[in-house]
Amino acid sequence: MSNKYYITTPIYYVNDKPHIGHAYTSVATDFIARFMSLKGYDVRFQTGTDEHGLKIQKAAEAKKIEPIELCNQNSKIFRDLTVSLNLSNNDFIRTTEERHIDGASYLWKRLYERNQIYLGEYTGWYSISDETFYNEKDLVKQNDGSFKTVTGGPVEWITEKSYFFKLSEWSNKLLDLYSSNPNFISPASKRNEVIKFVESGLNDLSVSRTSFKWGIKTPTNESHIMYVWLDALTCYTNGINYLNENENAMKEYWNNVVHIVGKDILRHHAVYWPAFLLAAELDLPQKIFAHGWWTNEGNKISKSLGNVIDPIEIINNYGLDQFRYFLLREVPFGNDGDFSKNALINRINSDLVNDLGNLCQRSLSMIEKRLDSTIPQITNKGNEELLLDKSCEELLMKGSNLVNEFKIHDYIRLVWEYIGKVNKYFNDNKPWELEKNDNDKFLNVLAVTVDQIKNIAIFIHPIMPDVSIKILQIMGISETKLLFENMKTINLHGNKLSRVNHLFNRVQS
Ligand code: MSP
């Protein structure tokens, strides 16, 4: 069985700067990528930027610059964000790159050759902000008689020559796919919405535009450019060179693919994308997971309300791993969530400073001060110690099952239960008293505690990679050993601790 695992974020529009929503999708995807690496998978993680379409063209016009200039500027900001968020991505694809344009054109040709595309005229509603065609029944009528999308975005009525993809012919095949492969779309509530949408009947999809120029010319008629979603979706296959005739090793990643997306773009990924691939006689991804949306202190996040949350500002004020922890811990993955400074501060002070930080600080600095920084040997495993080992084993098993189901926040909850047990062990055994009357036990309790902290450091790696590495480095463990299966065999005895500093600072509210 291949151990390849390919996971993607959506590619981000470059009309504007990144906000918390982009950071969230990326951090959650990074969590899963890192977790699968710890399990021993050969992981490929792709992110990137979506650079064509009317929305980008208009944003460039407003700045009086060429679209490609805007793309270069803003794509760089998104690329820099991958570093600021400490993402483990192997690739960052831009839709203006040659390799992407070639792949998108290849998919178009395959669809065209299979008679899946025909010329017609589109008359109907279009939303520039989400680059999506709408049926009137899916829009919300305003008091003045105009229409808006469900998220409140404006739509315009357009009529233009366009190629259509025969989406309507794929309804049954798609419904078969959803029923024969119940895990194709998650969570279940979102899956049901998609099924209802497809059951209500699919129209053929307009897949080219002629009223503006910023896009990939269709290879069969240069006066049309590809609809930006057909163009963009192929980024997933283009990043691994799947869309061409050449054999190459990267293609193997297409056997095990997960797309992480926000709920607003599930339809494009769970309906249009598999339909394109089926029609082109290409293989499908294994899974689409749709996460929820963040609000800011209870309010919808929007530019007009002026409450857009800048991830860099949060990172600068509170720290990267604190931000990552909060995003992943606060809200069940798949649900909507609310960002509030108080909630962030509470999480930092209680879960990070009190639970994890104190445990590390107290035990490690005791070794530093009393034992000249040398980690003692585990000499005895009684009931209490064996129970801790058992908790670790259970966490490995249950944790893996939870992450397989994308229940990231439940995984973190279990890790914190485990941290609680190690804290209790340390407190109940009172090493500061043992030091005076039972030196053997004193050394054993410290050795066991540090050994469990080493496990904790590996468990938290996908959540807080920096803190995880910092703890392991203090213990003299190099990053190359980062695999769950190495947890048991890493022997700390005799390692010299490097300087122990506070991992987290308490935040005043
Ligand atoms: N370019 C398309 C995706 C093409 S993929 C082939 C796009 N880009 S986007 O920049 O608008 O959005 C990217 C991601 O950010 C989506 O997954 C979206 O759900 C997410 N978010 C945008 N605002 C959000 C929140 N307020 N909360 C959580 N995520 C949200 O769509």
Side-chain angles (χ1 to χ4, degrees):
M1 203 184 82
S2 157
N3 76 335
K4 292 208 171 356
Y5 185 84
Y6 180 32
I7 189 159
T8 64
T9 72
I11 46 172
Y12 303 114
Y13 286 129
V14 288
N15 59 307
D16 219 334
K17 301 215 165 61
H19 57 63
I20 191 172
H22 305 114
Y24 182 53
T25 310
S26 289
V27 165
T29 308
D30 187 55
F31 170 95
I32 298 161
R34 287 181 184 273
F35 192 92
M36 297 308 279
S37 291
L38 284 175
K39 281 179 71 169
Y41 280 88
D42 169 5
V43 175
R44 187 164 182 87
F45 167 15
Q46 177 181 288
T47 182
T49 43
D50 190 353
E51 307 189 7
H52 292 127
L54 192 49
K55 173 150 107 166
I56 312 294
Q57 181 172 313
K58 284 196 177 244
E61 280 164 9
K63 291 195 153 189
K64 299 196 170 49
I65 56 176
E66 287 301 314
I68 190 64
E69 241 183 283
L70 178 80
C71 294
N72 289 341
Q73 285 169 13
N74 284 351
S75 180
K76 180 173 181 315
I77 297 176
F78 278 96
R79 193 188 288 265
D80 290 346
L81 185 69
T82 64
V83 177
S84 309
L85 293 172
N86 195 4
L87 303 186
S88 57
N89 58 302
N90 321 77
D91 202 351
F92 184 99
I93 194 165
R94 297 181 56 184
T95 56
T96 46
E97 285 174 53
E98 200 82 5
R99 59 175 172 155
H100 174 82
I101 295 169
D102 287 351
S105 308
Y106 178 80
L107 179 67
W108 179 281
K109 277 191 236 144
R110 276 186 83 106
L111 292 171
Y112 197 83
E113 282 160 11
R114 284 162 181 75
N115 201 21
Q116 292 293 323
I117 286 179
Y118 63 91
L119 190 59
E121 187 172 76
Y122 178 78
T123 301
W125 295 108
Y126 191 74
S127 152
I128 302 178
S129 60
D130 32 327
E131 297 281 19
T132 298
F133 300 94
Y134 281 98
N135 289 325
E136 198 157 295
K137 68 176 172 47
D138 297 323
L139 295 169
V140 184
K141 195 165 187 174
Q142 309 296 295
N143 290 339
D144 63 0
S146 68
F147 288 93
K148 291 213 159 144
T149 65
V150 278
T151 52
V155 283
E156 57 182 45
W157 186 260
I158 59 171
T159 298
E160 72 184 60
K161 276 228 157 342
S162 169
Y163 283 100
F164 284 83
F165 166 65
K166 294 179 179 170
L167 181 64
S168 58
E169 292 185 0
W170 292 96
S171 308
N172 288 339
K173 278 265 162 23
L174 287 170
L175 291 170
D176 286 349
L177 166 70
Y178 308 145
S179 67
S180 64
N181 192 347
N183 291 323
F184 183 68
I185 305 168
S186 291
S189 58
K190 300 284 188 309
R191 172 175 181 264
N192 294 339
E193 283 172 23
V194 170
I195 292 176
K196 267 200 201 123
F197 174 73
V198 176
E199 279 174 348
S200 75
L202 295 174
N203 298 329
D204 287 349
L205 181 70
S206 164
V207 286
S208 75
R209 305 287 311 260
T210 41
S211 56
F212 64 95
K213 292 269 165 284
W214 185 236
I216 302 175
K217 287 184 179 142
T218 69
T220 51
N221 179 345
E222 297 226 321
S223 60
H224 287 245
I225 57 165
M226 277 181 218
Y227 170 41
V228 64
W229 270 100
L230 173 58
D231 156 352
L233 285 161
T234 66
C235 75
Y236 300 130
T237 35
N238 297 334
I240 55 164
N241 274 320
Y242 178 69
L243 283 182
N244 59 38
E245 307 290 343
N246 313 329
E247 273 318 307
N248 71 74
M250 279 218 289
K251 282 189 174 178
E252 281 179 41
Y253 285 105
W254 198 249
N255 295 325
N256 197 5
V257 192
V258 175
H259 298 313
I260 304 292
V261 302
K263 62 179 183 180
D264 52 317
I265 55 173
L266 179 59
R267 182 181 301 180
H268 308 79
H269 284 82
V271 180
Y272 303 160
W273 182 224
F276 293 150
L277 290 167
L278 284 169
E281 296 178 272
L282 293 165
D283 290 340
L284 299 179
Q286 275 57 51
K287 184 165 195 74
I288 324 279
F289 186 95
H291 68 69
W293 268 44
W294 286 86
T295 49
N296 184 359
E297 312 278 351
N299 300 312
K300 190 178 163 249
I301 297 176
S302 88
K303 242 169 124 182
S304 50
L305 289 174
N307 64 352
V308 175
I309 300 169
D310 177 0
I312 298 295
E313 208 180 299
I314 308 283
I315 294 169
N316 290 341
N317 289 339
Y318 300 95
L320 170 62
D321 278 358
Q322 288 83 338
F323 180 48
R324 287 179 59 119
Y325 178 79
F326 176 79
L327 289 179
L328 298 172
R329 174 68 180 92
E330 189 66 8
V331 176
F333 197 44
N335 291 10
D336 291 336
D338 185 45
F339 183 88
S340 94
K341 287 216 165 124
N342 268 339
L344 171 64
I345 292 171
N346 283 342
R347 285 277 173 212
I348 295 175
N349 288 342
S350 81
D351 302 8
L352 301 185
V353 178
N354 290 353
D355 297 345
L356 178 58
N358 275 349
L359 171 66
C360 295
Q361 184 65 27
R362 290 168 74 203
S363 56
L364 296 175
S365 60
M366 203 173 265
I367 296 178
E368 190 178 32
K369 291 195 186 106
R370 304 281 188 267
L371 304 174
D372 192 24
S373 300
T374 307
I375 301 178
Q377 186 169 19
I378 299 175
T379 48
N380 178 35
K381 285 207 172 178
N383 232 349
E384 271 184 296
E385 288 80 11
L386 291 173
L387 276 177
L388 284 183
D389 285 349
K390 193 161 165 249
S391 300
C392 176
E393 293 274 323
E394 275 175 13
L395 177 53
L396 265 177
M397 218 173 56
K398 284 191 194 158
S400 183
N401 292 338
L402 287 171
V403 176
N404 272 343
E405 293 172 32
F406 297 85
K407 294 185 173 159
I408 300 177
H409 113 292
D410 282 329
Y411 168 77
I412 303 179
R413 191 175 46 73
L414 287 195
V415 175
W416 253 254
E417 274 177 28
Y418 174 55
I419 293 175
K421 288 179 187 165
V422 181
N423 253 321
K424 184 168 175 346
Y425 172 79
F426 186 78
N427 286 333
D428 288 356
N429 279 289
K430 300 191 174 74
W432 53 94
E433 285 181 8
L434 288 175
E435 189 187 6
K436 294 173 215 148
N437 49 39
D438 187 345
N439 196 50
D440 284 353
K441 193 163 179 198
F442 167 67
L443 295 177
N444 194 52
V445 166
L446 280 181
V448 167
T449 306
V450 174
D451 191 53
Q452 299 292 333
I453 292 177
K454 172 258 301 166
N455 298 342
I456 292 170
I458 299 175
F459 281 125
I460 63 169
H461 186 77
I463 318 164
M464 301 189 287
D466 275 345
V467 170
S468 153
I469 299 292
K470 200 165 160 190
I471 298 175
L472 294 171
Q473 276 173 351
I474 291 176
M475 296 176 171
I477 302 168
S478 74
E479 202 179 332
T480 49
K481 288 184 186 156
L482 269 194
L483 282 173
F484 283 132
E485 69 178 28
N486 288 349
M487 219 176 228
K488 270 202 190 141
T489 51
I490 299 174
N491 185 358
L492 297 172
H493 173 217
N495 280 13
K496 268 253 181 223
L497 296 184
S498 51
R499 238 197 110 61
V500 178
N501 289 320
H502 280 285
L503 294 175
F504 306 100
N505 293 321
R506 188 169 293 282
V507 183
Q508 301 304 327
S509 45

